[in-house]
Amino acid sequence: MTSLSHRLGLWFAHVYVLGICGTLAGAYFFQFGLWEHPCPMCLLQRMFFLLTAIGPVWIIVRSRTGSVTTREFAAGWGWSIMAAILGGMVSAAQVLMHVVPPDPGYAGALFGLHLYTWALITFVAAAFAAAVALFLTQFAEPLAAASAGLRTAARITPMVLLAFAGTNLVACFLLQGLHWKMTGDPTGYQFFGDIG
């Protein structure tokens, strides 16, 4: 039973990271599938989503080289909570910017809620999930990628997060172009305007 709880604790870190990547994939669908360009605050929220996943990825990477200590486990999930709280503050600020009628909000909506509202909900859920992982530390550690499935996942999950970080960097660069900062809400990809 103890070994099972240790494996579940490590699998939970994988699910957490892939859930954050799934959230970013949804944002990419709106950006590239529906052509709704993210505003500067939306991009900042994406960066906080990436930061939220760094703690669990660190736990996953450490599990490949040996057992994760209680200190490392707590630091990883603590990092996630901190990043989720800061990202939630950015999302809450954007919600408050558009909360007074007749403001239609920025960009489209999903099930009646704008993406920044969904981001706030996701940040709260991410902080709660990380807090639960911290609360269950005594059952989840020591963690080590002992099974073949965990060892394989420990190689793949960090690469998935790295791919989302890289694509987010490229998407931000294309939106901002060759400028130090993005001016207002984008209506297109500034980079192509700069070189055209």
Side-chain angles (χ1 to χ4, degrees), residues 168-179 189-191 194:
N168 190 61
L169 179 66
V170 171
C172 288
F173 175 72
L174 293 177
L175 280 167
Q176 188 170 322
L178 304 172
H179 304 277
Y189 293 96
Q190 185 64 44
F191 174 76
D194 291 342

Side-chain angles (χ1 to χ4, degrees), residues 31 37-41 43-44 46-47 168-195:
Q31 180 176 351
H37 301 92
C39 68
M41 289 186 80
L43 294 176
L44 187 59
R46 289 185 190 182
M47 291 175 196
N168 190 61
L169 179 66
V170 171
C172 288
F173 175 72
L174 293 177
L175 280 167
Q176 188 170 322
L178 304 172
H179 304 277
W180 284 108
K181 65 177 186 172
M182 189 182 299
T183 55
D185 297 332
T187 56
Y189 293 96
Q190 185 64 44
F191 174 76
F192 298 113
D194 291 342
I195 64 171

